[in-house]
């Protein structure tokens, strides 16, 4: 649910409703987002309040492809009159992507400080990796360092039951 | 969550944050995010993932990770309890096993714990999921989540040599939120044949080797009940002049205070509970006959103001259950839904056992059949009944070796 613009804590004059912000991705693509939706991102919220005049915000860390989806997420979550169940279903579809894309969303949510997207992303990854073997985890997270056989023996010995 | 303090734009290099050894936890995501993902996983999975790499093992074994993990567990609503089931009818050491009891389905799933060093130990519910076992000589702490059992350093009450008699001991675990340490309180009560009673009390900080004597303790008789909350341990006992009293050990100062109970409960059997975060006395003599449970809730510790809360269950609660339960344990899970659980103390062979949940607001009782494997291992030809005790179940990944 979106909060009316005048509800945000700020000393600058309240932003006009339906004001559009333009975001520019690392590869130069631009995306329009309603200010109310942009406020989902704490990073963007701060930038908006620091500099009300400028409406073009560069986001050099995020590619156009990912930024488009993040804008979609924020807009959806700022929409009025959406019940929890449909929003939940929408979220589920949003994260029904491969883990590489999921990591992109998480990195974007981390960078832009979007708590809802970050929480959704992390929970989805947690559910995804729960049943994986350590080797599969290494692949998913691109981990090249490994435990020595002795270290692995030690871990198995400490909590044998977890490996049964 | 990750990196909230950094409001500036981050460059790509900062995305790869190192684990403790300088090796990256993952080149894909910062360590704060990996932590945010891992705290959502079950203990068993996390213990396996210690094998992934050295930084992962470091991260998962870190006490601050255990802290974040515990905070999430405590914030979640409890839908299961840990239950100990013992066969007391057998002579000699009793077989005691643990189960997870689901409040909604009644399903009991075994939680295999390592053999306790002693089969005659008294179990007390500690805090944060830890339980404490004491058999007079040896005291142990157990974390059912990690299935670890740790024996505590041995100690004696240091009674004068000329004092002889029958001795009993009691122990439980508490959490000192000030120093973020776990502490164990142990009490010895000695009955001399000439009629005198002596008491001794010691405290041990978990992870250290030496017990400290606690003086000026109002507890002079055996513990009737105990309960731990953050920062304090409360012991219910009797006083020769005042009847039932509660001795509260403040874990930061390691000093005792005495709490007098409301008139109405100084001479009746009560149990210690935590009700919505407050210390409470549960009085349930009239449950079977009058369907009444009374809670005396300590609203304000300083002013010693107790509030009486009487709950009358609908009469139907004990209908159509065949063999009416002779005695029930009342459990108020700390992070539960607010429902009060009634769990049969004795489970009879060849009869159905039920778990009742009483909702304080709606005043309704739900019942669900307790079932699941492997009760049959208890029912050897001689066994007629099993004793059942509930404990708060909190997922806690803190290893007793890293306390």
């Amino acid at each position: 649910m979106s909060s009316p613009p005048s509800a945000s804590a700020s000393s600058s004059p309240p932003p006009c409703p339906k004001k559009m912000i333009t975001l520019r991705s690392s590869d130069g693509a631009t995306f329009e987002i309603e200010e109310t939706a942009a406020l989902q991102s704490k990073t963007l919220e701060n930038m908006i309040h620091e500099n009300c005049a400028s409406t073009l915000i560069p986001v050099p860390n995020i590619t156009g492809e990912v930024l488009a989806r993040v804008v979609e997420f924020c807009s959806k979550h700022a929409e009025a009159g959406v019940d929890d169940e449909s929003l939940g279903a929408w979220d589920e579809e949003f994260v029904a992507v491969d883990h590489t894309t999921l990591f992109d969303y998480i990195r974007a949510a981390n960078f832009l400080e979007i708590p809802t997207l970050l929480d959704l992303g992390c929970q989805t990854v947690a559910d995804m990796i729960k049943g994986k073997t350590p080797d599969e985890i290494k692949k998913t997270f691109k981990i090249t360092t490994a435990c020595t056989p002795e270290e692995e023996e030690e871990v198995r010995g400490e909590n044998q039951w977890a490996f049964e | 969550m990750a990196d909230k303090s950094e409001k500036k734009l981050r460059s790509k290099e900062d995305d790869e944050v190192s684990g403790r050894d300088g090796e990256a936890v993952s080149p894909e995501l910062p360590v704060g995010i990996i932590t945010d993902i891992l705290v959502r996983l079950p203990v068993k999975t996390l213990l396996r993932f210690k094998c992934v790499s050295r930084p992962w093992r470091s991260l998962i074994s870190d006490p601050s990770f255990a802290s974040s993990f515990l905070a999430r567990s405590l914030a979640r609503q409890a839908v299961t309890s840990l239950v100990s089931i013992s066969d007391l009818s057998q002579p000699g050491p009793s077989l005691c096993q643990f189960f997870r009891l689901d409040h909604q389905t009644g399903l009991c799933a075994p939680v295999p714990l390592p053999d306790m060093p002693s089969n005659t130990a008294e179990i007390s519910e500690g805090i944060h999921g830890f339980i404490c076992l004491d058999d007079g000589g040896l005291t142990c702490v157990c974390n059912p989540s990690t299935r670890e059992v740790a024996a505590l350093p041995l100690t004696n009450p240091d009674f004068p040599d000329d004092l002889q008699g029958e001795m009993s001991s009691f122990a439980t675990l508490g959490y000192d939120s000030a120093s973020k340490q776990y502490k164990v309180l142990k009490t010895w009560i000695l009955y001399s044949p000439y009629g005198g009673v002596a008491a001794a009390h010691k405290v041990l900080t978990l992870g250290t080797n030496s017990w400290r004597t606690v003086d000026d303790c109002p507890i002079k008789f055996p513990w009737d009940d105990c309960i731990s909350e953050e920062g304090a341990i409360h012991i219910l006992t009797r006083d020769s002049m005042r009847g039932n009293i509660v001795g509260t050990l403040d874990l930061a100062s390691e000093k005792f205070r005495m709490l007098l109970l409301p008139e109405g409960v100084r001479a009746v059997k009560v149990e210690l509970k935590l009700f919505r975060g407050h210390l409470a006395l549960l009085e349930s003599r009239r449950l079977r006959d009058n369907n009444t449970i009374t809670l005396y809730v300590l609203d304000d510790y300083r002013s010693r103001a107790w509030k009486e809360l009487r709950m009358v269950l609908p009469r139907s609660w004990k209908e159509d259950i065949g063999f009416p339960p002779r005695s029930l344990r009342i459990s108020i899970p700390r992070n539960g839904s607010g429902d009060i659980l009634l769990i049969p103390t004795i489970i009879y062979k060849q009869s159905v056992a039920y778990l009742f949940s009483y909702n304080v607001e709606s005043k309704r009782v739900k019942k669900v059949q307790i079932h699941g494997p492997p009760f049959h291992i208890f029912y050897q030809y001689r066994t007629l009944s099993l004793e059942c005790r509930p404990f708060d179940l909190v997922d806690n990944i803190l290893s007793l070796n890293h306390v």
Side-chain angles (χ1 to χ4, degrees):
Chain A
M1 291 283 288
S2 65
S3 47
S6 51
S8 29
S10 159
S11 53
S12 46
C16 329
K18 284 254 182 209
K19 182 176 179 194
M20 302 301 281
I21 307 283
T22 310
L23 303 175
R24 190 174 63 210
S25 68
S26 58
D27 43 2
T30 57
F31 302 91
E32 289 223 310
I33 180 174
E34 275 185 35
E35 192 175 79
T36 51
L39 294 176
Q40 301 262 323
S41 152
K42 293 200 171 24
T43 310
L44 294 180
E45 187 184 0
N46 289 332
M47 295 175 100
I48 290 167
H49 289 143
E50 277 166 21
N51 191 354
C52 244
S54 156
T55 52
L56 174 67
I57 298 175
V59 186
N61 262 31
I62 306 174
T63 64
E65 201 180 327
V66 175
L67 192 54
R69 296 289 281 155
V70 172
V71 165
E72 222 183 295
F73 180 89
C74 292
S75 304
K76 182 69 184 181
H77 276 247
E79 249 177 59
V82 184
D83 64 286
D84 285 341
E85 215 182 304
S86 357
L87 192 59
W90 190 92
D91 280 349
E92 244 187 84
E93 267 209 53
F94 185 82
V95 289
V97 293
D98 60 53
H99 75 262
T100 323
T101 313
L102 205 48
F103 287 175
D104 285 333
Y105 293 169
I106 290 175
R107 280 189 285 259
N110 187 33
F111 178 73
L112 290 172
E113 292 184 84
I114 307 169
T116 41
L117 182 54
L118 191 57
D119 187 58
L120 177 65
C122 288
Q123 187 61 51
T124 309
V125 175
D127 294 334
M128 195 192 273
I129 65 174
K130 208 191 298 203
K132 287 197 192 280
T133 65
D135 281 330
E136 289 166 332
I137 296 289
K138 286 202 194 102
K139 264 200 216 108
T140 307
F141 290 93
K142 298 212 173 86
I143 295 166
T144 49
T145 62
C147 285
T148 64
E150 290 80 35
E151 282 168 338
E152 191 163 327
E153 262 314 296
E154 218 182 307
V155 173
R156 280 174 182 268
E158 270 171 14
N159 300 108
Q160 230 166 339
W161 67 277
F163 292 88
E164 281 154 24
Chain B
M1 288 199 221
D3 304 322
K4 280 221 143 75
S5 51
E6 295 176 29
K7 302 248 182 218
K8 301 289 173 192
L9 302 178
R10 280 186 288 270
S11 60
K12 218 165 192 274
E13 291 89 285
D14 293 341
D15 273 339
E16 185 180 320
V17 180
S18 302
R20 316 194 112 233
D21 303 334
E23 298 165 40
V25 174
S26 166
E28 288 283 273
L29 295 168
V31 66
I33 304 256
I34 303 277
T35 305
D36 196 344
I37 294 170
L38 294 182
V39 283
R40 298 160 193 261
L41 295 172
V43 172
K44 184 173 181 177
T45 308
L46 287 170
L47 295 175
R48 280 191 299 115
F49 285 1
K50 281 194 193 183
C51 269
V52 168
S53 74
R54 217 175 294 141
W56 276 55
R57 183 184 181 184
S58 230
L59 178 63
I60 295 169
S61 306
D62 196 279
S64 63
F65 179 81
S67 223
S68 309
F69 185 89
L70 178 65
R72 284 184 65 99
S73 296
L74 294 174
R76 262 200 301 270
Q77 198 175 91
V79 292
T80 52
S81 292
L82 181 71
V83 171
S84 75
I85 301 194
S86 320
D87 177 3
L88 299 177
S89 62
Q90 300 294 354
S94 62
L95 176 66
C96 173
Q97 300 228 342
F98 291 86
F99 295 81
R100 252 179 205 263
L101 172 62
D102 187 301
H103 302 163
Q104 274 140 10
T105 64
L107 178 66
C108 252
V111 178
L113 291 179
D115 281 330
M116 301 296 167
S118 160
N119 279 326
T120 55
E122 269 295 308
I123 308 170
S124 64
E125 178 182 281
I127 195 169
H128 296 168
F130 292 120
I131 58 178
C132 188
L133 303 101
D134 182 83
D135 76 346
L138 187 64
T139 309
C140 297
V141 175
C142 170
N143 180 353
S145 301
T146 58
R147 305 198 188 171
E148 287 175 309
V149 178
L152 301 184
L154 292 171
T155 186
N156 291 310
D158 305 328
F159 287 129
D161 286 334
D162 55 350
L163 216 54
Q164 299 287 325
E166 241 187 75
M167 192 155 73
S168 53
S169 72
F170 310 85
T172 195
L173 176 84
Y175 183 68
D176 174 14
S177 5
S179 64
K180 300 212 196 309
Q181 290 175 313
Y182 291 94
K183 295 184 178 177
V184 176
L185 168 68
K186 186 157 176 168
T187 293
W188 293 261
I189 304 287
L190 179 74
Y191 288 98
S192 99
Y194 307 108
V197 184
H201 313 273
K202 286 192 180 177
V203 168
L204 170 89
T205 302
L206 218 58
T208 67
N209 273 321
S210 57
W211 293 80
R212 295 179 287 286
T213 305
V214 182
D215 298 311
D216 299 322
C217 177
I219 299 168
K220 314 249 189 261
F221 284 100
W223 296 8
D224 287 326
D225 203 357
C226 65
I227 199 156
S228 299
E229 61 171 328
E230 305 252 339
I233 292 175
H234 304 283
I235 310 288
L236 176 72
T237 185
R238 254 155 291 160
D239 176 89
S240 44
M241 285 189 298
R242 301 174 179 94
N244 287 331
I245 56 158
V246 168
T248 299
L249 177 67
D250 175 88
L251 289 168
S253 64
E254 295 186 11
K255 297 245 181 297
F256 268 97
R257 279 191 302 252
M258 175 161 69
L259 192 60
L260 285 177
L261 304 192
E263 284 270 5
V265 287
R266 287 196 199 153
V268 299
K269 178 174 186 296
V270 287
E271 295 167 71
L272 286 181
K273 299 288 174 201
L274 280 177
F275 183 70
R276 295 179 181 166
H278 294 268
L279 182 65
L281 306 165
L282 175 79
E283 195 268 291
S284 59
R285 290 168 305 160
R286 290 168 299 160
L287 175 59
R288 257 196 110 221
D289 302 328
N290 251 340
N291 311 306
T292 304
I293 297 173
T294 311
L295 272 178
Y296 295 84
V297 186
L298 184 62
D299 254 356
D300 188 324
Y301 198 95
R302 287 241 165 97
S303 69
R304 321 296 217 217
W306 297 89
K307 187 155 68 183
E308 183 177 326
L309 185 64
R310 189 169 303 180
M311 294 176 265
V312 184
L313 276 62
R315 238 182 306 167
S316 57
W317 78 273
K318 54 183 197 270
E319 287 163 9
D320 359 278
I321 51 174
F323 212 0
R326 197 153 298 172
S327 65
L328 289 160
R329 274 242 160 67
I330 298 174
S331 169
I332 309 181
R334 290 173 203 219
N335 303 318
S337 53
D339 282 6
I340 292 181
L341 304 178
L342 308 173
I343 300 174
T345 319
I346 310 282
I347 298 178
Y348 293 96
K349 189 179 190 175
Q350 270 147 30
S351 85
V352 180
Y354 287 99
L355 164 66
F356 302 89
S357 313
Y358 171 70
N359 184 283
V360 180
E361 268 75 36
S362 73
K363 303 199 203 308
R364 283 212 289 261
V365 176
K366 270 190 309 207
K367 74 170 188 267
V368 79
Q369 188 183 331
I370 299 176
H371 62 285
F375 286 168
H376 68 273
I377 58 169
F378 285 101
Y379 290 129
Q380 307 299 319
Y381 51 92
R382 277 246 162 104
T383 308
L384 294 174
S385 61
L386 304 170
E387 199 214 20
C388 177
R389 277 191 68 192
F391 300 93
D392 258 20
L393 182 62
V394 177
D395 292 316
N396 188 341
I397 197 171
L398 185 64
S399 166
L400 292 173
N401 300 320
H402 298 142
V403 162

